[in-house]
Amino acid sequence: MYADYYQLPNVLSKEECEFLIEQGKNNLIPSRTNNHANVPEENEKVRKSHSSNYEQEGKGKNLSLKLVTLFRDICFEVYKFPILNIEHPEYINYKKGDFFEWHFDSANGEDLNGAIPIDRDLSTSIFLSDPSEYTGGKFQMYMPNGPRDVEQQQGTMIVFPSIFLHRVTKIKKGERSSIVFWGKR
């Protein structure tokens, strides 16, 4: 597997992003992290945002299928890694003051926040918000030379190994929305 992230711009149009934001804002709950016993819990020292799962019909279901198919294709074509299991897409909304500290999406042992193992191979995030509508909220990957800001154009998908350390910096103004999901062999 290559040791870097991959970006695919314009996987969603502005209209598709706006539709998914509108749908995602239904049934928002405080986002959770897994504790030492791998039980989801709210922990605003580590993560402050709101989330919802997509249980959609019609257009929303078609867009989710489009994103999952693209993710699976990128995993195979770019990383040469067949993904057989994909977790359900999750909508994430960050408002002023919200963030997600450095974390891994998968870990063999305890991660930085003390969570026990989570079995994931590749992760994806699709940026739904126009970056001109918020400040802060940078998606950063921790690379050998330090934190690297990832370009967050509306409708762009990023795929990366789940063992990559990453975060979303604190939102200073506006709102930032994305869809995330994970896959494993």
Side-chain angles (χ1 to χ4, degrees):
M1 188 181 320
Y2 299 114
D4 209 343
Y5 62 89
Y6 178 80
Q7 277 188 283
L8 185 61
N10 304 313
V11 299
L12 295 173
S13 68
K14 179 178 180 65
E15 294 76 25
E16 290 171 326
C17 289
E18 289 171 356
F19 173 82
L20 290 171
I21 289 170
E22 181 182 318
Q23 295 298 305
K25 286 186 176 180
N26 294 328
N27 304 314
L28 285 174
I29 61 168
S31 299
R32 298 173 173 209
T33 58
N34 290 337
N35 65 20
H36 292 284
N38 209 19
V39 175
E41 69 178 5
E42 291 176 42
N43 183 346
E44 289 191 0
K45 292 180 182 177
V46 175
R47 182 181 192 186
K48 185 174 182 230
S49 62
H50 285 80
S51 308
S52 67
N53 285 323
Y54 277 104
E55 297 292 343
Q56 298 183 340
E57 300 291 324
K59 182 178 179 180
K61 185 175 181 180
N62 290 339
L63 289 174
S64 290
L65 180 60
K66 173 183 174 177
L67 295 174
V68 165
T69 301
L70 278 170
F71 174 65
R72 182 171 286 159
D73 290 348
I74 290 168
C75 292
F76 187 74
E77 292 173 20
V78 174
Y79 292 95
K80 310 298 184 216
F81 196 89
I83 292 295
L84 302 176
N85 298 297
I86 297 176
E87 292 181 45
H88 198 74
E90 183 178 346
Y91 170 83
I92 312 292
N93 180 263
Y94 295 89
K95 293 183 178 179
K96 184 177 179 180
D98 290 355
F99 63 93
F100 196 167
E101 288 295 342
W102 290 111
H103 65 283
F104 302 101
D105 289 341
S106 183
N108 289 331
E110 289 189 4
D111 74 6
L112 293 178
N113 305 314
I116 62 173
I118 299 172
D119 186 18
R120 296 172 175 155
D121 294 312
L122 290 164
S123 301
T124 190
S125 185
I126 300 95
F127 306 118
L128 300 178
S129 299
D130 181 335
S132 68
E133 296 175 357
Y134 62 91
T135 56
K138 293 180 181 181
F139 185 93
Q140 295 181 323
M141 306 285 292
Y142 199 89
M143 304 305 269
N145 59 346
R148 179 190 302 172
D149 292 350
V150 174
E151 186 176 352
Q152 300 181 127
Q153 292 304 312
Q154 186 176 38
T156 295
M157 173 185 271
I158 179 172
V159 178
F160 57 96
S162 299
I163 59 169
F164 270 30
L165 192 59
H166 59 286
R167 72 174 174 181
V168 175
T169 64
K170 190 176 281 190
I171 294 281
K172 297 176 182 173
K173 185 173 109 178
E175 270 184 64
R176 175 191 183 277
S177 294
S178 60
I179 293 176
V180 297
F181 52 94
W182 312 268
K184 66 180 179 175
R185 190 185 320 228

